[in-house]
Amino acid sequence: MTRLVPGDLAPDFTLTAHDGSTVTLKELLADSGEHVVVYFYPAAMTPGCTTQACDFRDSLDALNASGYTVVGISKDGVEKLAAFAERDGITFPLLSDPDHAVLEAYGAWGEKTNYGRTTVGVVRSTVVVDPRGVVELAQYNVRAKGHVAKLRKDLGLDADQ
């Protein structure tokens, strides 16, 4: 599995969001002129993914104020993502990648070990893309709990809290 590193050009994508809209990285960058935090998570409505999504939700105003837009990507279908967003009040786009093409392009799909078992699936990851479309930060095998605080620290945003 090839993983992205800072300085790589971020692969563009076009995916369907939980609200039925179409979202592309190119348009996110053009519309916002900001950095885009693209985080990849294994499955909507599971405990770890709920913790992580709610952490991003609760930190969204501070991230936006610092110039960061957030999107989440999983292999879940749009209907499940819509239910997840509704249940937990998620206000940023949750994108569906059922054939995991974007997950693969970002290095967030592959072998992983859970509880001693090796499986193939979504590797919990976060890639931060700068306004020019270049990878600023790429983190793989991140922990759901406390990830946003670590991300803010790694981006030098701690002073904003």
Side-chain angles (χ1 to χ4, degrees), residues 130-153:
D130 77 11
R132 299 170 297 132
V134 175
V135 174
E136 177 180 345
L137 182 72
Q139 300 176 329
Y140 295 92
N141 294 306
V142 302
R143 296 174 88 58
K145 187 174 182 177
H147 174 60
V148 176
K150 182 182 180 320
L151 180 65
R152 289 181 54 80
K153 180 180 178 193

Side-chain angles (χ1 to χ4, degrees), residues 1 3 41-43 75 108-124 141:
M1 165 177 49
R3 292 191 168 166
Y41 60 99
K75 63 181 176 49
W109 182 268
E111 278 192 5
K112 58 186 184 173
T113 303
N114 286 326
Y115 305 108
R117 281 188 30 224
T118 300
T119 60
V120 174
V122 179
V123 176
R124 192 181 305 278
N141 294 306

Side-chain angles (χ1 to χ4, degrees), residues 5-159:
V5 296
D8 285 348
L9 188 60
D12 196 14
F13 57 76
T14 301
L15 295 172
T16 304
H18 70 276
D19 63 1
S21 66
T22 300
V23 176
T24 69
L25 178 62
K26 185 177 181 179
E27 288 175 357
L28 282 172
L29 293 168
D31 291 347
S32 70
E34 298 182 338
H35 297 79
V36 176
V37 175
V38 184
Y39 85 94
F40 301 93
Y41 60 99
M45 306 241 211
T46 59
C49 295
T50 298
T51 295
Q52 188 176 25
C54 290
D55 200 4
F56 272 110
R57 177 201 65 204
D58 296 346
S59 302
L60 193 60
D61 287 343
L63 286 166
N64 290 164
S66 296
Y68 292 83
T69 297
V70 175
V71 297
I73 299 178
S74 75
K75 63 181 176 49
D76 296 309
V78 173
E79 299 79 17
K80 186 174 182 183
L81 296 178
F84 186 37
E86 175 70 25
R87 184 191 79 178
D88 293 303
I90 307 301
T91 57
F92 54 84
L94 298 175
L95 309 180
S96 175
D97 184 22
D99 64 1
H100 45 83
V102 176
L103 288 153
E104 289 179 37
Y106 276 76
W109 182 268
E111 278 192 5
K112 58 186 184 173
T113 303
N114 286 326
Y115 305 108
R117 281 188 30 224
T118 300
T119 60
V120 174
V122 179
V123 176
R124 192 181 305 278
S125 310
T126 299
V127 176
V128 179
V129 181
D130 77 11
R132 299 170 297 132
V134 175
V135 174
E136 177 180 345
L137 182 72
Q139 300 176 329
Y140 295 92
N141 294 306
V142 302
R143 296 174 88 58
K145 187 174 182 177
H147 174 60
V148 176
K150 182 182 180 320
L151 180 65
R152 289 181 54 80
K153 180 180 178 193
D154 293 347
L155 292 171
L157 304 178
D158 280 351

